[in-house]
Amino acid sequence: MTSSWPDGASLASPSDGANALRDGFGRRMEYARLSLTDRCNFRCIYCMPHEGVPFISHAQILSYEEILHICGIMTSLGITRFKITGGEPLCRKGAVGFIRDLARLPGVAEVTLTTNGAFLEPHLEDLAKSGLRGVTFSCDAFVQETFAVIARTSTVLDTVKHAMERTAALGLRVKINTVPLKGYNDEQLVPLARFALERGYHIRFIELMPVGNGRALSGVPQKELFASMEREFGALKRVRERTGNGPAVVYSVAGYAGRIGFIAAISEKFCDSCNRVRLTSTGFLKTCLCHDAGVDLRTPARNGASDEDLRAMILKTVVDKPAGHAFFFTANGEKDFFMNSVGG
Ligand code: SAM
């Protein structure tokens, strides 16, 4: 049984999960990606321009208290899992304390972090105690030289690999997200997968999206990638149980605890099962990565809107969540953006 809201969004009955929030197409929203900052210490070639982008002023960025306030309203609507993202979330002072506070918020089932790993290690013990469940490392190379070319950073790749090992040793789940890029890291995808599999990590290959700098580059076709993984590791076996927050199609590999996943937003569009919203660092609730759709929550929250007002705004915005992405900006007039401003 479902109690309908006047404008079409619905909170389903407890049998459907208490306070399950559904959009106008009946998709249940249960997961939010929270961007803490647009700033990043890397300049990945597919993400941000080398010279950077004009950063958003501090006054425009939500304070941690403001983010927690909005998250409290989200949990009351059935959004229970949160991914901390950026920019690079660990570029923002106080991120670890924020993660601890978020994990303790009533109704929060899981908090995870996505990071480039450069600044992670000194914070790991505190993060492990904070209630963080897992860390996703965005890492596109197996060798230092390629790492420096893609991430345009002076960070030493071994620092990141070491942080992965420490993360796992502290009992947190480790995932690696890798964007295959033709002509850049094609030769390193198998070694990187082996590195992950041997350590029990999950590696997920993320199809390049035509966003920001990604528009000028080419990815590796999923079929090609899948075939190269099977050539190396034998038949991949589809894993049906849920292993993350959403769209990865995950495979087990005989002889290894780690798994290989594919996230192919373009060639195998998965918008039908989309379960997520995004909150940018400026307080914009974005209901689709591709489209401009969403609502500014910062202005009303700062102008004294009540929790009920904010809840109603979130509900209305979720109802209007677009059916799916259309990554053809010039054709449909959507504005292009750099992924650091949204958080992936
Ligand atoms: N700095 C954090 C990290 O490294 O995980 C979080 C922010 S980063 C923007 C989030 C994810 O977006 C990364 O895994 C990155 O690889 C991915 N990303 C950025 N631009 C992309 C693009 N054009 N296509 C596919 N993935 C992209």
Side-chain angles (χ1 to χ4, degrees), residues 33 40 46-47 85-89 114-116 136-138 140 177 179 206-211 214 339-340 343-344:
R33 294 177 68 91
C40 190
Y46 52 80
C47 190
T85 179
E88 170 50 41
T114 180
T115 174
N116 58 41
T136 299
F137 292 81
S138 299
D140 301 314
N177 277 356
V179 180
I206 305 189
E207 192 172 37
L208 179 72
M209 285 181 258
V211 172
M339 202 69 97
N340 70 298

Side-chain angles (χ1 to χ4, degrees), residues 33 35 37 39-42 44-48 84-90 113-117 136-140 176-179 181 206-215 217 263 289 337-344:
R33 294 177 68 91
S35 176
T37 176
R39 297 172 192 233
C40 190
N41 52 318
F42 283 15
C44 298
I45 49 172
Y46 52 80
C47 190
M48 272 171 91
I84 310 306
T85 179
E88 170 50 41
L90 296 178
L113 168 74
T114 180
T115 174
N116 58 41
T136 299
F137 292 81
S138 299
C139 180
D140 301 314
I176 300 177
N177 277 356
T178 301
V179 180
L181 296 166
I206 305 189
E207 192 172 37
L208 179 72
M209 285 181 258
V211 172
N213 275 19
R215 300 175 75 176
L217 296 164
I263 301 180
L289 181 59
F337 61 93
F338 293 109
M339 202 69 97
N340 70 298
S341 66
V342 179

